[in-house]
Amino acid sequence: MWDHMGSHGSQGMGGVPPRHRSCPPWPHPAPPLGLILPRGLTLSPPSPAGAARGRRRMAKLLVPLVMLGAVAGSHRCPPRCLCPAAAPNPTLLCARTGLLAVPPTLDRAAVELRLADNFIGAVGRADFANMSSLVHLTLSRNGLRRLAPGAFADLCALRALHLDGNRLPALSGAQLRGLASLRHLILANNQLAAIEPAAFAAFAATVEDLDLSHNNLPALPWEAVAGMASLATLTLDHNLLERVPAGAVARLPRLARLDLTANRLRALPPVPGPPGPSLAAGGNPLHCNCELLWLRRLAQPGRLESCASPPPLAGRLLWAVPEEELACRAPAITGAAADPAAVLEGQPLRLGCAAAGDPPPVLHWLGPDGRLVQNGSRRAVRPDGSLELRVATLRDHGAFTCVASNAAGEAAARVQVAILPLPVPHGDGDGDAEAGPGPSDMAHAGGNESRVAGERRIVAAELTASSARIRWLPQRHVPGIRVFQIQYNSSLDDSLVYRLLPPSSRSFVLRDLAAGREYDLCVSALYAEGATALPTARPLGCVRFATAGRAPGCAALPRPHFLGGTVIIIIGTAIAASVLVFILILTARYKAAAARRPPAAVASVCSQTNGIHRPPEPEPPPPLPPTLPPPAPMGAAGGGARGLFPSHSYPRHARTRHHGSLPRLDLPDAAPTLRPSFGSTHWMLESTV
């Protein structure tokens, strides 16, 4: 019997297919089956004489229990669900049962699970955990809004996933992780507005049917879609797609059907063929020109592709338009210029270019060296085709070429750019009197300023590792100065830094310098000869200097940081001192109060073994009770006093003794009494009383 059960163990009790080879091990092991053995039956090996009899008894008990557990486990059915017993594989039918969540008591060995037409709003990570045998899962029309990351991570054998008719807003890479065997993914009629490229990574090599229709997708991760080598059906109708990249469809070798109906496409890239995939592109505002000749040649009567432009072809079906009317117009550049045409080295510059054609031409730029201009930190091509030079250099001096191209041809136009170099000193690094243009003739004629040979116009002083003070001579001979301009750059960086200073400035401190670098700095005066004239730059001079190197491990803190740390330390010290003084004052006051307090009275308690015996105070004779008769003579009946008190003593309540530790009420308050001590005999009598 055991051999018989083992032969069917790979298929299970209900024909469950074996675990997929790529399935990961279950994260939570199944709990062991607990067996309750009858009293007197143990699992210890029997004696050699009763070995056969013990095995028979064990088999009679274990086989029914194992069979009963397997049968009960294979037919667990959640409430409100149907579990057909005649189905060849475990199937759970829970459609239209009003479920608000995935039932937690699902049979983890199920092969098919249908949860459509319910009210399941979210799927958690543990809802489908350990269901590695599940092949078909339907969650259609549930109003599903949220998929937890890894919600389908254990469904490595799943082949069909239906999520249509829900309210999913987007798809991320973690939500569909683990679906290594997925072939059919239905996401139609959702609210998808964005899909991450990694969302399809888990099943890119196996998916055959992808349905994303009736969503709000303005774009699609075409690079991820182009990597689906087994894709046969791609449904994208009723979305907001505006563009299909060229070559995206051609990279799908097994594509048999492509539906792009009712989008916002104005152009379609050629699809491979013949025989190519079945294409549906009706309901798009197509611009009918020479780019759609391939579609016109594939069109047949009855197709719904129509033209929205140009105006002569608007509203006509594409298959009814003659091929000669689908024409294109070569591009023509309507304007190209630089703004401004000449700039000083280091200043920004913008080159504009406009072109017309059908289809609209694409603009790109060639630099003065003939190379294609790429976007970078210094150059950027705008969406409108203009070129922006953020920092002009001498390498930008020359002619840039604007090239416009479309399907009918291309056109080019040259834009001349002039880059003026910065004034550079011709003498030593500090600059001298010949480093730049001399003073004006007006200054010499007036004689109001004289220069000494070798006098430096620009001086770099107070050099540190991060700062330097720049000084220059007064420019009284230059009338109408509006502002001073300082420009400098590091020897390790080509970008220039500009500073504008008021005309009354004679020095400036640079605080953003790097340690151990050389700098080339120039100062210019911007002035205007008239009220409406444009400002003109007059170089005053240049200087080259180097900042001090910072010693490793000895970097000094900036002064604000140092002052801030010092203030914090002072405040903390003051607070600690205040707390210490407060504690000392409290301690002194406590000791003074304790010294003035009288000592507490201590009760004198004598034990049985103290060895000290003081004679107790004489005890007044106990008063006689008022109801007692006078004592009878010695010979009277009853034995006299001895007959009345056979214990040869007075009653115990008449011998009450005042304890030494209690105050005496019959003594005056002013007469303090000593507390008597007594021996062991008195202690025993007192305890008895």
Side-chain angles (χ1 to χ4, degrees), residues 162-177:
H162 293 261
L163 293 171
D164 53 295
N166 289 292
R167 300 180 181 179
L168 297 175
L171 283 181
S172 64
Q175 289 176 329
L176 301 179
R177 184 179 69 244

Side-chain angles (χ1 to χ4, degrees), residues 208 230-234 252-259 275-279:
E208 299 176 358
S230 302
L231 189 62
T233 303
L234 180 58
L252 301 173
R254 299 186 180 181
L255 187 64
R257 184 176 181 274
L258 175 61
D259 192 350
S278 175
L279 176 64

Side-chain angles (χ1 to χ4, degrees), residues 116-471:
D117 298 296
N118 282 292
F119 304 97
I120 302 174
V123 175
R125 173 64 181 86
D127 289 342
F128 301 111
N130 298 335
M131 300 187 70
S132 58
S133 300
L134 192 63
V135 176
H136 190 101
L137 175 60
T138 304
L139 286 167
S140 305
R141 298 175 297 279
N142 270 280
L144 191 63
R145 294 178 179 269
R146 187 179 66 85
L147 292 176
F152 308 117
D154 292 349
L155 307 183
C156 54
L158 191 69
R159 295 191 177 186
L161 177 59
H162 293 261
L163 293 171
D164 53 295
N166 289 292
R167 300 180 181 179
L168 297 175
L171 283 181
S172 64
Q175 289 176 329
L176 301 179
R177 184 179 69 244
L179 300 175
S181 303
L182 190 65
R183 296 186 180 181
H184 305 276
L185 178 59
I186 312 301
L187 287 165
N189 290 284
N190 275 276
Q191 298 177 0
L192 295 176
I195 298 178
E196 294 184 2
F200 302 145
F203 48 86
T206 60
V207 65
E208 299 176 358
D209 182 12
L210 179 59
D211 189 353
L212 296 171
S213 60
H214 292 86
N215 280 286
N216 301 324
L217 293 172
L220 199 67
W222 287 105
E223 287 297 327
V225 173
M228 299 178 180
S230 302
L231 189 62
T233 303
L234 180 58
T235 307
L236 300 172
D237 61 284
H238 293 87
N239 276 284
L240 305 176
L241 300 177
E242 298 181 353
R243 175 178 173 270
V244 177
V249 180
R251 294 166 59 183
L252 301 173
R254 299 186 180 181
L255 187 64
R257 184 176 181 274
L258 175 61
D259 192 350
L260 294 170
T261 305
N263 279 277
R264 297 180 179 180
L265 300 173
R266 293 181 55 83
L268 289 174
V271 297
S278 175
L279 176 64
N284 287 285
L286 297 176
H287 180 73
C288 296
N289 54 15
C290 62
E291 291 184 326
L292 294 182
L293 280 174
W294 67 271
L295 183 59
R296 168 64 181 82
R297 293 166 183 172
L298 296 177
Q300 299 176 357
R303 294 183 64 93
L304 300 178
E305 291 84 1
S306 60
C307 300
S309 60
L313 302 179
R316 298 175 61 180
L317 294 175
L318 181 61
W319 64 268
V321 177
E323 292 186 9
E324 57 271 12
E325 296 186 20
L326 299 177
C328 292
R329 181 163 47 90
I333 296 180
T334 58
D339 182 24
V343 295
L344 194 64
E345 179 184 3
Q347 294 183 348
L349 179 66
R350 181 181 178 275
L351 285 73
C353 184
D358 186 17
V362 179
L363 301 179
H364 55 275
W365 289 85
L366 301 178
D369 54 358
R371 297 181 180 180
L372 183 66
V373 176
Q374 303 288 344
N375 289 338
S377 61
R378 246 182 10 95
R379 299 174 175 179
V381 179
R382 298 301 182 186
D384 59 352
S386 61
L387 175 61
E388 181 181 0
L389 302 179
R390 298 187 179 96
V391 179
T393 64
L394 295 179
R395 294 191 298 268
D396 299 327
H397 182 81
F400 283 79
T401 304
C402 174
V403 180
S405 60
N406 64 6
E410 64 180 24
R414 297 169 65 87
V415 179
Q416 193 69 30
V417 174
I419 307 298
L420 304 179
L422 293 173
V424 179
H426 299 284
D428 55 1
D430 294 334
D432 51 18
E434 304 298 330
S440 63
D441 297 337
M442 182 181 300
H444 283 291
N448 57 356
E449 182 177 359
S450 62
R451 294 190 183 274
V452 181
E455 181 184 9
R456 294 184 297 178
R457 301 181 181 180
I458 308 298
V459 178
E462 302 179 13
L463 296 176
T464 64
S466 60
S467 64
R469 179 178 292 276
I470 308 300
R471 296 191 178 95

